RNA sequence: GCGCCUGUAGCUCAGUUGGAUAGAGCUACGGACUUCUAAUCCGUAGGUCGGGGGUUCGAGUCCCUCCAGGCGCGCCA
């Protein structure tokens, strides 16, 4: 399907070049001329702005040029049946039935591979997301990054890229130490050993859970030792227990990471010191006020940033430099970070690092997402880990179907804050569009089941017959189906998952209309065969798209 | 004060590098099951695209400015 866009452009280019008495640069032509789906379906399926692009240069009105050009265009392959100019200067193309049929056959032939392309062949992407600190459970907001990141990864893969999903664990900072102290205090509290809860410690209930797990593991006596003798071990153990919980929750969401990267590795391997030293030698890092600073202001950041504190401890940003170096060493073609909007200010400094380390800042890409607002009883719920009050992702998973949660998180642009209304999601979950789409799959399965009962042959792709597709609803459905590969490509280019959900909702609507107006199993065998082929194709596309979203395609509902 | 994001129907949102009469869903109201699942379909209603300027054949989209909201501007992570 994607080829037809290029084919049309090629025909347009050849014709424009021959027809117009001006110099035409090929590269510019391909950049400026657009072929897209027609907004006005009555004129055609695809449309181009070619006449607008050139009308000025030859001093002619767009509509006149569109008329002239339309008459000269010719497609020897027979893909296009009608070429009509329309006001104020578009040229519209109508796809031939022959072409549509050949595309539908591809769906049944390629099956799960339909819609994929080779754009990213041989290219490797590192996609880092969630990376929530191991100091507390994932909250609902993290669910957005999890669902989006996983879905984006699937989109990249459908476009031929190899993707490594990575989770960065901050297991080395003061936060982890504070968690350890909090856990120790809770352990002692449970065991009735006198202790004080650390100032600014984590007050959440989950700290008790970790404490209980730890007591079970270590035995009661362990906690009578002096704090400084066991605290380091407790920090490590607590982090491990917490990460175990986080992994479990992500798996409940259907999200699996390829690499779990520990920040502590950066120090253990000596990479951190190595990178800082090397940058210092090249004068990208300097010493001032007893601290070490990175010259990010020279690369677009508002100011220089501290990488090693007065105390000698690395800052989060300092670790990030070494971490990026580590990723770059691993040789990915692209390193993508998905961050919450609270980190947008850190983008410039990371790019500065990329420039300094690799001179190829394009290898680093940061996708910024807006937050999730949790709404309960019509009021926003303030989520704060420090105050220990938040709604966890796990709690949400207990109350709602995984499919609904994932769909909900990927259905909107990341640029938009997401209001997650708990009451609405719980009580009125049937209104969720995910069911509307899944229902298409279930309805098709139901027809197939019926066909089996009646001994009607379910056509394999070499036996399908689409010649009897002629009803408007059948044609509309067919056309929507064959645009699927274009959607996958577009979703990848824009890093936008909602393009797929929008497409699915529209496809589902068209299918349900088809279903209402056209019975599949009818007296006429030829019509039955055609429509069976059409619903098989629909089933395949729905299944493929839902797979990318990480949502199941149920046999019945 | 500076930076990023957002402002489109009553509500939630689409709207690819500027293009055709600005679209869906939900809600409201009115219709459609003797047939493959009514978790469906059809119809009606709903808009100064936050305000104001500018750029041009043409602006929801680009530029300027103002207003409103979210987030950031740490030797926190």
């Amino acid at each position: 399907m994607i080829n037809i866009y290029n084919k049309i452009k090629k025909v347009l280019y050849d014709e424009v070049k021959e027809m117009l008495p001006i110099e035409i640069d090929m590269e510019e032509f391909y950049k400026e001329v657009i072929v897209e789906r027609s907004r006005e379906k009555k004129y055609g399926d695809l449309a181009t702005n070619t006449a607008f692009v050139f009308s000025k240069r030859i001093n002619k009105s767009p509509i006149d040029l569109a008329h002239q050009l339309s008459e000269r265009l010719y497609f020897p392959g027979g893909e296009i049946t009608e070429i009509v100019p329309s006001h104020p200067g578009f040229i519209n193309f109508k796809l031939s039935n022959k072409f549509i049929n050949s595309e539908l056959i591809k769906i049944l032939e390629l099956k799960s591979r339909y819609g994929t392309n080779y754009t990213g062949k041989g290219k490797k992407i590192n996609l880092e997301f969630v990376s929530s600190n191991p100091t507390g459970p994932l909250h609902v907001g993290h669910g957005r990054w999890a669902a989006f990141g996983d879905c984006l990864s699937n989109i990249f893969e459908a476009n031929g890229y190899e993707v490594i999903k990575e989770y960065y664990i901050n297991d080395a900072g003061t936060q982890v130490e504070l968690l350890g102290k909090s856990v120790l205090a809770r352990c002692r509290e449970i065991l009735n050993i006198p202790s004080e809860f650390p100032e600014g410690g984590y007050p959440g209930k989950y700290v008790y859970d970790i404490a209980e797990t730890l007591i079970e593991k270590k035995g009661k006596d362990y906690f009578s030792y002096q704090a400084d003798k066991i605290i380091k071990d407790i920090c490590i153990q607590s982090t491990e227990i917490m990460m175990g919980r986080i992994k479990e929750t992500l798996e409940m969401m259907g999200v699996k990471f390829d690499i779990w990267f520990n920040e502590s590795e950066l120090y253990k391997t000596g990479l951190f010191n190595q990178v800082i030293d090397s940058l210092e030698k090249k004068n990208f890092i300097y010493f001032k006020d007893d601290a070490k600073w990175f010259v990010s202001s020279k690369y677009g950041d508002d100011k220089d940033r501290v990488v090693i504190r007065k105390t000698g401890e690395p800052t989060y940003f300092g670790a990030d430099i070494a971490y990026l170096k580590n990723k770059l060493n691993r040789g990915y073609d692209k390193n993508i970070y998905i961050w919450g909007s609270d980190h947008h200010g850190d983008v410039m400094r990371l790019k500065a690092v990329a420039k300094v380390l690799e001179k190829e800042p394009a290898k680093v890409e940061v996708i910024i997402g807006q937050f999730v607002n949790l709404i309960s009883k019509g009021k926003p719920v303030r989520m704060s880990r420090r105050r220990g009050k938040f709604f966890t992702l796990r709690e949400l998973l207990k109350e709602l179907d995984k499919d609904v949660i994932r769909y909900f998180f990927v259905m909107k642009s990341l640029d938009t804050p997401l209001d997650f209304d708990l009451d609405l999601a719980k009580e009125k979950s049937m209104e969720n569009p995910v069911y509307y789409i899944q229902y298409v799959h279930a309805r098709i399965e139901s027809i197939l089941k019926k066909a089996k009962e009646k001994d009607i042959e379910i056509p394999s792709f070499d036996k399908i017959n689409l010649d009897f597709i002629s009803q408007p609803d059948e044609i509309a459905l067919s056309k929507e189906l064959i645009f699927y590969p274009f959607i996958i490509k577009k979703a990848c280019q824009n890093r936008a998952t909602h393009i797929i959900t929008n497409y699915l909702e529209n496809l589902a609507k068209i299918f349900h209309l088809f279903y209402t107006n056209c019975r599949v199993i009818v007296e006429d065998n030829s019509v039955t065969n055609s429509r069976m082929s059409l619903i098989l194709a629909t089933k395949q596309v729905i299944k493929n798209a839902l797979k990318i979203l990480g949502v199941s395609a149920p046999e019945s509902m």
Side-chain angles (χ1 to χ4, degrees):
Chain A
M1 183 62 214
I2 288 166
N3 291 337
I4 192 71
Y5 287 82
N6 295 329
K7 206 170 256 178
I8 291 173
K9 272 197 181 183
K10 174 87 172 55
V11 169
L12 282 165
Y13 174 71
D14 290 343
E15 207 50 58
V16 165
K17 201 171 177 185
E18 204 182 304
M19 184 180 149
L20 301 184
I22 48 171
E23 277 289 308
I24 287 160
D25 182 69
M26 189 161 120
E27 216 169 287
E28 227 169 85
F29 180 95
Y30 273 86
K31 210 179 142 196
E32 284 183 43
V33 167
I34 296 166
V35 176
E36 59 184 351
R37 285 191 84 172
S38 293
R39 298 255 168 116
E40 289 295 322
K41 296 282 185 304
K42 63 183 170 186
Y43 295 125
D45 303 307
L46 296 168
T48 181
N49 64 343
T50 312
F52 294 109
V53 174
F54 295 101
S55 61
K56 209 175 176 186
R57 285 178 62 188
I58 59 161
N59 223 346
K60 210 170 208 170
S61 78
I63 186 69
D64 285 346
L65 182 56
H67 270 105
Q68 265 189 324
L69 204 50
S70 301
E71 287 184 11
R72 299 177 59 134
L73 298 172
Y74 174 65
F75 291 83
E79 300 93 342
I80 305 294
T81 49
E82 274 177 49
I83 301 169
V84 283
S86 67
H87 186 78
F90 293 97
I91 300 170
N92 300 274
F93 304 93
K94 193 174 174 204
L95 298 171
S96 70
N97 282 350
K98 184 186 147 199
F99 176 75
I100 294 168
N101 287 358
S102 70
E103 288 293 316
L104 288 174
I105 288 168
K106 275 188 203 162
I107 300 175
L108 300 170
E109 207 175 342
L110 295 172
K111 294 201 162 69
S112 63
R113 279 184 300 131
Y114 182 73
T116 61
N117 64 69
Y118 298 107
T119 309
K121 201 177 179 199
K123 287 187 191 144
K124 219 167 166 180
I125 291 176
N126 178 286
L127 185 62
E128 188 215 314
F129 56 106
V130 186
S131 297
S132 167
N133 283 351
T135 51
L138 298 175
H139 56 70
V140 172
H142 291 118
R144 186 175 202 183
W145 317 138
F148 183 90
D150 195 48
C151 181
L152 189 61
S153 163
N154 291 338
I155 290 170
F156 278 126
E157 280 176 354
N159 281 272
Y161 294 89
E162 191 187 331
V163 186
I164 301 294
K165 288 176 278 186
E166 185 153 328
Y167 188 117
Y168 179 58
I169 307 167
N170 291 108
D171 64 338
T174 48
Q175 302 289 316
V176 170
E177 225 167 279
L178 197 54
L179 176 73
K181 283 179 188 164
S182 308
V183 170
L184 176 59
R186 293 311 188 202
C187 286
R188 289 184 166 169
E189 189 185 326
I190 292 167
L191 298 169
N192 286 320
I193 301 169
S195 74
E196 242 176 68
F197 194 71
E199 203 187 321
Y202 295 96
K205 198 192 151 286
Y206 65 90
V207 179
Y208 285 102
D209 298 340
I210 300 174
E212 270 162 22
T213 311
L214 200 57
I215 291 168
E216 209 168 291
K217 199 172 164 188
K218 292 280 179 185
K220 290 176 186 174
D221 297 343
Y222 180 80
F223 299 94
S224 309
Y225 287 109
Q226 262 197 309
D228 37 328
K229 282 200 178 137
I230 52 172
I231 189 67
K232 210 165 181 186
D233 183 42
I234 287 178
C235 285
I236 293 169
Q237 300 285 339
S238 303
T239 308
E240 248 171 50
I241 292 165
M242 201 60 245
M243 279 315 297
R245 295 281 291 178
I246 288 174
K247 278 183 203 182
E248 262 174 40
T249 308
L250 289 168
E251 265 171 43
M252 283 160 78
M253 281 279 287
V255 180
K256 280 189 182 164
F257 284 87
D258 302 301
I259 294 178
W260 301 85
F261 191 95
N262 288 307
E263 182 193 348
S264 54
E265 285 296 308
L266 298 170
Y267 312 114
K268 274 186 208 157
T269 57
L271 181 70
F272 179 81
N273 288 331
Q274 216 175 298
V275 173
I276 300 297
D277 285 352
S278 142
L279 289 176
E280 205 169 357
K281 271 185 197 130
K282 293 178 194 157
N283 291 321
F284 292 121
I285 286 177
Y286 61 90
F287 195 78
K288 192 186 112 188
D289 299 339
D290 296 328
K292 287 189 180 179
W293 301 69
F294 178 74
V295 293
S296 42
S297 66
K298 281 193 188 152
Y299 299 89
D301 201 1
D302 331 337
K303 46 187 141 180
D304 292 346
R305 307 286 169 179
V306 171
V307 290
I308 298 182
R309 285 185 266 255
K310 239 189 264 196
T311 58
E313 291 168 310
T315 60
Y316 179 88
F317 174 57
D320 239 15
I321 295 175
Y323 181 40
L324 178 57
K325 178 65 184 166
N326 174 286
K327 280 183 180 174
L328 291 170
N329 286 349
R330 284 186 258 159
Y332 302 110
D333 296 286
K334 200 138 216 166
N335 300 280
I336 302 180
Y337 295 74
I338 299 175
W339 285 351
S341 62
D342 55 338
H343 284 102
H344 79 260
D346 305 347
V347 175
M348 280 317 278
R349 70 190 76 158
L350 186 72
K351 294 227 161 154
V353 173
K355 269 181 215 162
V356 165
L357 288 177
E358 192 86 355
K359 299 200 166 58
E360 271 191 79
K363 279 197 177 177
V364 172
E365 181 180 329
V366 183
I367 297 172
I368 296 294
Q370 299 300 312
F371 280 138
V372 176
N373 298 313
L374 205 53
I375 310 279
S376 181
K377 287 165 193 143
K379 279 185 184 170
V381 184
R382 277 275 149 216
M383 287 184 284
S384 164
R385 183 177 285 182
R386 307 214 106 264
R387 264 177 275 144
K389 275 182 79 181
F390 48 81
F391 200 85
T392 66
L393 185 55
R394 191 176 276 257
E395 285 171 292
L396 191 69
L397 280 157
K398 262 186 235 155
E399 306 207 24
L400 284 172
D401 195 11
K402 179 207 92 175
D403 287 340
V404 175
I405 296 172
R406 284 193 66 130
Y407 192 90
F408 208 96
F409 280 136
V410 299
M411 70 188 281
K412 280 168 191 172
S413 159
L414 263 207
D415 289 338
T416 316
L418 184 70
D419 283 336
F420 203 121
D421 191 322
L422 282 172
D423 309 305
L424 195 75
K426 281 185 229 163
E427 291 165 24
K428 297 187 171 179
S429 62
M430 286 307 176
E431 281 171 14
N432 195 302
V434 70
Y435 294 111
Y436 183 74
I437 294 158
Q438 288 180 321
Y439 190 45
V440 172
H441 194 265
R443 272 185 148 175
I444 291 171
E445 285 292 346
S446 170
I447 298 172
L448 295 178
K449 201 175 142 200
K450 195 85 180 180
K452 225 174 199 174
E453 281 168 15
K454 291 193 173 181
D455 268 334
I456 293 165
E457 195 191 356
I458 295 170
S460 57
F461 86 87
D462 51 331
K463 284 193 186 149
I464 61 173
N465 175 1
L466 292 154
D467 295 339
F468 293 85
I469 287 178
S470 59
Q471 297 298 310
D473 295 318
E474 296 172 302
I475 292 169
L477 179 59
S478 305
K479 282 180 181 171
E480 195 62 27
L481 289 172
I482 67 175
F483 274 99
Y484 175 66
F486 180 61
I487 297 299
I488 294 305
K489 196 166 187 182
K490 191 175 156 188
C492 184
Q493 282 166 345
N494 296 12
R495 277 87 164 110
T497 56
H498 71 277
I499 289 175
I500 295 176
T501 57
N502 285 351
Y503 168 78
L504 273 174
E505 283 171 40
N506 192 39
L507 177 62
K509 189 186 165 90
I510 292 168
F511 174 82
H512 286 311
L513 183 56
F514 158 81
Y515 181 93
T516 307
N517 294 338
C518 303
R519 281 189 65 80
V520 174
I521 299 167
V522 290
E523 298 272 311
D524 187 335
N525 285 339
S526 324
V527 172
T528 300
N529 183 293
S530 288
R531 290 183 179 169
M532 287 290 273
S533 306
L534 190 53
I535 64 165
L536 284 172
T538 307
K539 184 185 145 188
Q540 191 67 57
V541 170
I542 294 270
K543 207 172 162 184
N544 293 359
L546 285 178
K547 181 119 194 263
I548 286 179
L549 302 183
V551 172
S552 64
E555 308 266 306
S556 67
M557 287 172 77

